[in-house]
Amino acid sequence: MKQICVIGVGYVGIVTGACFADLGNKVVALDVNEQRIANLKKGIMPIYEPGLDELVKRNVSAGRLSFTTSYQEALKGAEYAFIAVGTPSGVEGEADLQYVAAAAASIAKEMTAPLIIINKSTVPIGTGDWVADIVRGAQGKPIPFSVVSCPEFLREGSAIGDFMSPHRTVIGSLDKDAAGKVAHLHLPLRAPIVITDLRTAEMIKYASNAFLATKISFINEVADICEALGADVKEVAAGMGYDARIGKYFLDAGLGWGGSCFPKDVQALAYMAKEQSLTTPILDSVMNVNYDRRKAAVKRTEEMLGGSFKGKTIGLLGLAFKENTDDMRDAPSIDIATELLEAGAKVRGYDPVAFETARPHMPAVDIIGDPYEMAKGCDALIVVTPWNEFKQLDLEKVKGLLKSPVIFDGRNIYDPKAMKEMGFNYRSIGRGTNGK
Ligand code: UDX
Ligand code: UDX
């Protein structure tokens, strides 16, 4: 049993803290957001994440997990301090590290014993050294510490499973003792452990996310070629995926990626390169291809409605950036709704969990708590995220509710042949058979 402090109870911090507690450690999770901490003390979660509610409550009642806004309390007896605060994009795409700096300085001021400080947040290459300088500068009196990079690879909506069954644990530190201790913390996960230097560990995180984003933009470009030439991109992806060098995951063509990681991390990696006077033609194209998906979805829907949205009502199925989350950061639905509204359409939206978090991002969208209610009177629906509950919608009922039976399936969740037989004017992405 180790004593751990986690700074930041956002999408990454709360899962990290709860999972380490579940492994038998004693965890104190800190946040500067008093409301978040007060809510957690009342058993109210700061985010939607499947399984989190039970995991937190069980570990709180077992006395392994507690919450505070006091660094002094959080660090008392702690041997490890994980920094999991936000690292949002700055105006030029660089990572905004003000919160990391604030956390590092607060740790330095309140630590009373040797500590291993672990960057869990995604931070630019070189940040580990920078955090060490901040801590050294902010300490009242010198107390031994090490800074270690241990990047997170958690997908929202499956974060607990991803934490408990990681593909690998990456640990960056030249301090062999510190690296060994952090490795020991992760031993129960029984996953391969990569121990390397700080900068390399930080780069593994960025390169991994940028590659996954590249894979998605690649299959989306292939999807458009499939559509033009009559091939089916779902079958193409399946055929590709049997090759172990390619792998079957992250080959779902659709409306592309959003969220708080891919957009921020691809931009940040390109920014770091440009700071070194390097060009990044691949990363630039990956971003361009990705954001064009949203425009293309609106254009194709407009074509299906005879070329104009004037006086039309469009329903969006799925509002968060992906299924199984309430996170609206860089959600494709926001850009799609904006384009539709600018084109003169009325827009409605439904999301199984993001109705509250979506509202501030799309004030002009009529957010409705039931998919059938939302479909009533719409001239078209756009499938924006592939929630399971959309896959089994009663489509005959939906057809009867729609003013016109038009569906643009941005995530290829329906079967084109079946949709045609039901009498829908249906388009999907790269299925080759659209209209053929
Ligand atoms: C964040 C980063 O955005 C991501 O790049 C990194 O990989 C993991 O940490 P996330 O958990 O999604 O991801 O951030 P967010 O949901 O914004 O939560 C950050 C939390 O840190 C918030 O609760 C915020 O109140 C808290 N915080 C912020 C602090 O506790 N102290 C601060 O000084 C600033
Ligand atoms: C991602 C990484 O997967 C994770 O390892 C990292 O720690 C944080 O960023 P996340 O953004 O939470 O996780 O979700 P993910 O499931 O990776 O999806 C990212 C985006 O790509 C979503 O918008 C999703 O809709 C999209 N996506 C994903 C596709 O368009 N096609 C796919 O095949 C997979």
Side-chain angles (χ1 to χ4, degrees), residues 12 122 152-158 162 168 205 208-209 212-213 216 219-220 248-263 265 290 294 321-323 327 330 332 384-386 411:
V12 171
T122 305
E152 54 90 9
F153 297 98
L154 308 179
R155 289 168 296 166
E156 291 181 29
S158 56
D162 289 345
R168 74 318 201 172
K205 171 63 188 176
S208 299
N209 265 11
L212 291 170
I216 295 166
I219 200 66
N220 280 330
K248 63 182 182 179
Y249 298 109
F250 284 67
L251 284 177
D252 294 336
L255 299 182
W257 35 266
S260 70
C261 291
F262 284 179
D265 296 349
N290 185 63
R294 305 170 184 196
F321 86 91
K322 63 179 265 197
E323 67 284 8
D327 194 344
D330 201 3
V384 183
T385 59
R411 294 290 177 183

Side-chain angles (χ1 to χ4, degrees), residues 270-405:
Y271 182 86
M272 284 183 256
K274 289 182 176 73
E275 272 196 316
Q276 304 302 319
S277 311
L278 297 171
T279 59
T280 55
I282 293 178
L283 294 178
D284 298 345
S285 304
V286 163
M287 288 186 274
N288 293 337
V289 166
N290 185 63
Y291 287 100
D292 283 348
R293 309 304 295 167
R294 305 170 184 196
K295 295 189 186 74
V298 172
K299 189 166 174 311
R300 291 177 187 176
T301 307
E302 188 175 43
E303 287 163 3
M304 296 169 80
L305 290 173
S308 166
F309 284 118
K310 285 262 176 301
K312 306 283 187 195
T313 301
I314 312 298
L316 303 183
L317 275 174
L319 300 175
F321 86 91
K322 63 179 265 197
E323 67 284 8
N324 299 322
T325 183
D326 63 352
D327 194 344
M328 288 298 292
R329 288 177 285 191
D330 201 3
S333 66
I334 299 170
D335 287 347
I336 291 171
T338 304
E339 288 231 7
L340 289 169
L341 291 163
E342 282 170 1
K346 282 201 190 73
V347 184
R348 292 181 181 168
Y350 168 74
D351 188 286
V353 298
F355 32 84
E356 284 316 317
T357 49
R359 216 176 287 285
H361 296 274
M362 36 181 73
V365 170
D366 185 5
I367 297 175
I368 295 167
D370 172 85
Y372 299 104
E373 196 50 42
M374 193 265 295
K376 206 184 288 175
C378 281
D379 295 281
L381 293 182
I382 299 177
V383 178
V384 183
T385 59
W387 269 93
N388 281 337
E389 68 174 68
F390 298 161
K391 297 170 186 169
Q392 293 301 339
L393 271 184
D394 178 344
L395 291 171
E396 288 296 351
K397 181 177 174 186
V398 168
K399 187 160 166 270
L401 292 166
L402 286 168
K403 215 187 274 175
S404 54

